[in-house]
Amino acid sequence: MSIIEERRTEIRAHGITYQIVVATRTDVDRAEPTPRVMITLEAGGPGGEPVAEGSLDLDAELADTVADLVADGLLSATGAGRAPRRRSAGRPAQQGRPWSEEMDAELENRWIAGESVAEIAAYFERTPGGIRARLPRVGCDPENPGCYLPVPPSRRTDLDEGEPG
């Protein structure tokens, strides 16, 4: 397992301290690494006594759906209503959503075929910055249209260097 990003938040309310950790990670020990999201909650009372704890481990592709379900459940349990979500004007529909293997393959194919960042961004309904950030993850060089990133020396094989294998 390798952690990609981790965010920690501490909230105090009514004498209880809540600590929430959200970590994105990849299970590199699997045959096909899978992006995961791990959410951990711990809460302690005024004297430090534990009052709540738990964790949730799920596929990254489900994170938005689970977040909505949890938020809706918590708000309905407290009697609070939830304001409808509004998208910022001009924000691409898929911005911030997870990428699938199929989407990564399509991104790579379009970049190598010579499509521009703007064309690819429009196709995927994402921002140009999001496309540029994703290109290295699929092995493409965002600075050189139509090109792959060079293979670092530590990952080259004899065949990569032109030596007979």
Side-chain angles (χ1 to χ4, degrees), residues 1-8 21-29 33-40 57 137:
M1 168 179 79
S2 63
I3 293 184
I4 299 168
E5 185 176 344
E6 182 176 282
R7 295 181 185 218
R8 295 175 175 271
V21 178
V22 178
T24 54
R25 62 183 172 82
T26 301
D27 291 334
V28 293
D29 56 338
T34 307
R36 309 283 298 171
V37 175
M38 179 82 160
I39 303 165
T40 307
D57 186 4
R137 292 180 181 229

Side-chain angles (χ1 to χ4, degrees), residues 76-162:
S76 67
T78 62
R82 183 174 190 177
R85 286 186 166 189
R86 293 184 300 160
R87 285 211 167 266
S88 301
R91 180 177 173 205
Q94 298 301 315
Q95 180 181 347
R97 299 225 177 236
W99 287 77
S100 68
E101 288 182 27
E102 293 81 16
M103 292 166 75
D104 279 344
E106 183 68 17
L107 172 63
E108 178 184 354
N109 290 337
R110 286 176 176 273
W111 183 252
I112 296 304
E115 284 190 34
S116 71
V117 169
E119 291 170 320
I120 296 171
Y123 174 81
F124 284 106
E125 298 183 48
R126 298 189 182 250
T127 64
I131 297 300
R132 276 189 221 91
R134 191 70 187 181
L135 285 167
R137 292 180 181 229
V138 297
C140 295
D141 186 347
E143 300 300 321
N144 295 305
C147 295
Y148 287 106
L149 287 168
V151 178
S154 63
R155 301 197 67 203
R156 289 184 186 151
T157 65
D158 290 342
L159 296 176
D160 290 334
E161 296 180 19

